[in-house]
Amino acid sequence: MTFEDLKAQVAAGEIDTVLVCMVDMQGRLMGKRFHAGHFVASAWQETHCCNYLLATDLEMLTPEGFESTSWEKGYGDYVMKPDLTTLRPVPWLDGTAMVLCDVLDHHTHEPVPHSPRAMLKAQVARLEALGFDAMMATELEFFLFEKSLDEIRKGGFRDLTPISGYNEDYHIFQTTKEEHVMRPIRNHLWNAGIPIENTKGEAEAGQEELNIKYAAALDTADYHTISKHAIKEIAWQNGHAASFLAKWNEGRVGSSSHVHQSLWKDGKPVFLDENDPLGMSALMKSYVAGLLKYAPDYTYFLAPYINSYKRFMKGTFAPTRVIWSVDNRTAGFRLCGEGSKAIRIECRIGGSDLNPYLAMAAMLAAGIAGIEEGLELQPPAKGDVYQGETGLIPGTLGDARAALRGSALMRAAFGDKVVEHYCRAAEVEIEEFARVVTDWEIARGFERA
Ligand code: ADP
């Protein structure tokens, strides 16, 4: 949808509301609902938000320790600058359109360096300076539950019942029973300009996957964010809950967000070399070697919460090791589409709770380092890659935070202040978890301690 299209639809009375949104650290849409008349008259140029939006947690608290903002600094404003190339209808809401914003400094109008969209744009620009375009796809896995979000919250998040009674991996009959939610998700997103490929049942009761066609990295992150938002809203409209928690039950498989990555130049896939046994170009090998070498450094951006690390369990298709393999779903990195135009590397470490801008920015930084350092790729792992001793993915949020904090690469790519900002975000989660008393402790010790 162009700005001219929007103006015409506003004049015709077809659109009355414009959602003006930024993406926060958690990958959520935050912003304001504008009257469309005011948006097309003036607000399309810029609007403002409190700068705590990029220094908060899932609860919208104002934790101390962020250099960018604080009570002392008075929690000032950021500029939200609509990126009019992201304008689109929101077909699942009446008379509504949406635009995503870049977050700018209130005084200098420069991008805020720790804003997720700015971080991805900066790495895409580095890659473009090397002559390459990043084409990416993120898979969205999530669970649908019988009850609505509001019922579940009022019930204290207990007795969670998935929408289906059995593992529905690729299951057509079971997913037919969920079409009242999944069909509008596919169709509304398609009509919002998002190139939906398919949805499918996943390998657990109530678990779903949405696949979107690969695109330029920034578009892919935008598509992911809008789709995740739409899934929650459309499930809510139908009286169900959709959850992107990485692991909602220790007895069930977790949800992931695999990231498919390939580099292109002038519309041609430069990861492909038809003369190589696996069809991998030297450039691809160096990129993948960079992803492997620096995986611990950026694991935080693939697994940002305490809960994220509960997903990394042997025998669940979730990876535990920094290993690459050919079409093997138990490795952290899997070669897909070998020898064809679709050749790509799939990172399987990330959880459904990742922020796609941060995940892709961090992996591009690692891949670029692999290219710049001319890293050599070791042969692919074979067999059950859960076995072995080496190359473990950080096992806790604390370990991932320490790896990020000590990462010269992440500091060089994003800047010290940005790395410290996200290390503080991780620390906030760790501090909060240390402070609260969990259900598990009570059940374990109430009677028996
Ligand atoms: P899986 O079997 O892991 O679920 P899918 O086949 O469902 O994988 O997902 C494949 C994803 O990879 C799709 O989103 C598709 O658009 C994307 N893809 C295909 N070719 C490329 C490519 N060259 N670069 C990046 N992503 C790609």
Side-chain angles (χ1 to χ4, degrees):
M1 178 188 249
T2 64
F3 191 42
E4 293 308 314
D5 294 337
L6 176 67
K7 282 198 258 189
Q9 291 187 39
V10 175
E14 291 160 11
I15 287 185
D16 56 60
T17 300
V18 181
L19 307 181
V20 179
C21 307
M22 49 131 355
V23 181
D24 73 1
M25 294 198 289
Q26 292 75 16
R28 299 173 294 189
L29 294 180
M30 294 285 158
K32 305 177 188 175
R33 305 181 111 89
F34 274 83
H35 194 285
H38 180 59
F39 182 80
V40 296
S42 68
W44 65 272
Q45 295 179 74
E46 66 175 54
T47 181
H48 304 92
C49 65
C50 176
N51 65 18
Y52 100 110
L53 284 181
L54 290 179
T56 186
D57 63 0
L58 285 166
E59 287 279 7
M60 309 304 289
L61 297 178
T62 50
E64 290 177 356
F66 287 107
E67 207 208 286
S68 61
T69 187
S70 60
W71 291 118
E72 204 177 31
K73 290 188 177 169
Y75 284 111
D77 267 357
Y78 284 144
V79 170
M80 290 169 65
K81 175 87 184 157
D83 174 349
L84 294 179
T85 67
T86 67
L87 255 184
R88 53 173 36 84
V90 180
W92 61 97
L93 298 178
D94 288 340
T96 302
M98 173 193 285
V99 70
L100 299 182
C101 296
D102 289 309
V103 185
L104 309 180
D105 183 278
H106 191 45
H107 303 288
T108 65
H109 275 68
E110 290 294 318
V112 171
H114 55 276
S115 140
R117 219 163 176 262
M119 286 169 67
L120 180 54
K121 278 186 165 184
Q123 298 311 308
V124 167
R126 284 183 65 205
L127 197 65
E128 281 171 2
L130 295 173
F132 303 117
D133 300 314
M135 298 300 278
M136 313 284 246
T138 52
E139 299 175 29
L140 287 93
E141 288 180 5
F142 56 98
F143 276 85
L144 283 180
F145 293 89
E146 265 182 15
K147 290 186 180 165
S148 72
L149 283 175
D150 297 312
E151 285 174 290
I152 289 172
R153 188 177 55 256
K154 286 175 190 159
F157 301 98
R158 286 169 192 281
D159 303 325
L160 298 175
T161 311
I163 199 167
S164 72
Y166 49 82
N167 178 335
E168 58 183 280
D169 204 17
Y170 296 97
H171 213 280
I172 295 297
F173 177 44
Q174 178 52 44
T175 51
T176 297
K177 296 192 241 168
E178 295 146 10
E179 275 292 84
H180 62 293
V181 184
M182 299 307 293
R183 182 166 175 241
I185 287 173
R186 289 190 307 274
N187 290 342
H188 285 320
L189 285 171
W190 180 275
N191 293 333
I194 296 184
I196 299 303
E197 288 189 345
N198 55 57
T199 59
K200 65 180 275 291
E202 261 298 321
E204 182 56 87
Q207 195 177 29
E208 319 287 336
E209 176 179 284
L210 173 76
N211 285 298
I212 304 170
K213 187 170 194 265
Y214 67 98
L218 186 67
D219 288 337
T220 290
D222 290 347
Y223 294 162
H224 180 114
T225 304
I226 294 165
S227 298
K228 181 175 172 184
H229 181 84
I231 288 165
K232 287 187 177 182
E233 279 189 352
I234 294 168
W236 169 80
Q237 285 174 334
N238 285 280
H240 297 291
S243 177
F244 287 80
L245 198 61
K247 190 89 175 173
W248 68 273
N249 183 305
E250 69 277 5
R252 310 269 185 156
V253 168
S255 294
S256 49
S257 179
H258 301 154
V259 183
H260 294 257
Q261 310 171 42
S262 61
L263 299 191
W264 294 58
K265 192 184 181 89
D266 303 327
K268 296 211 172 67
V270 287
F271 271 8
L272 177 64
D273 176 355
E274 276 157 0
N275 297 319
D276 180 78
L278 291 172
M280 296 172 79
S281 67
L283 183 89
M284 179 176 190
K285 288 177 186 170
S286 294
Y287 182 95
V288 175
L291 287 182
L292 290 167
K293 176 176 172 185
Y294 295 109
D297 301 39
Y298 61 76
T299 294
Y300 166 70
F301 292 117
L302 300 175
Y305 305 113
I306 299 278
N307 176 263
S308 315
Y309 295 81
K310 309 253 160 112
R311 199 185 120 245
F312 299 140
M313 265 174 51
K314 287 183 188 177
T316 62
F317 285 111
T320 54
R321 283 179 193 285
V322 186
I323 275 173
W324 80 282
S325 189
V326 181
D327 203 17
N328 179 329
R329 282 193 162 75
T330 57
F333 296 87
R334 177 169 78 118
L335 177 68
C336 300
E338 69 246 47
S340 77
K341 202 175 154 230
I343 192 164
R344 59 194 186 271
I345 190 77
E346 176 192 34
C347 173
R348 300 175 60 84
I349 301 172
S352 50
D353 51 357
L354 60 67
N355 176 328
Y357 300 88
L358 301 177
M360 282 191 260
M363 285 196 277
L364 282 176
I368 292 171
I371 295 170
E372 288 179 343
E373 294 171 32
L375 293 180
E376 296 229 354
L377 185 63
Q378 298 304 310
K382 292 210 172 84
D384 179 0
V385 298
Y386 286 122
Q387 306 306 323
E389 296 298 324
T390 53
L392 280 172
I393 295 163
T396 65
L397 182 57
D399 292 346
R401 179 181 177 276
L404 173 63
R405 198 137 200 260
S407 172
L409 177 80
M410 290 293 119
R411 287 179 182 276
F414 297 134
D416 287 332
K417 282 190 176 177
V418 171
V419 168
E420 289 300 335
H421 188 86
Y422 283 94
C423 285
R424 178 62 191 140
E427 195 177 42
V428 167
E429 293 296 308
I430 294 166
E431 285 172 1
E432 196 54 14
F433 188 65
R435 189 184 68 78
V436 300
V437 177
T438 65
D439 288 358
W440 177 82
E441 294 158 83
I442 297 172
R444 194 170 176 92
F446 192 86
E447 177 176 339
R448 291 166 290 180

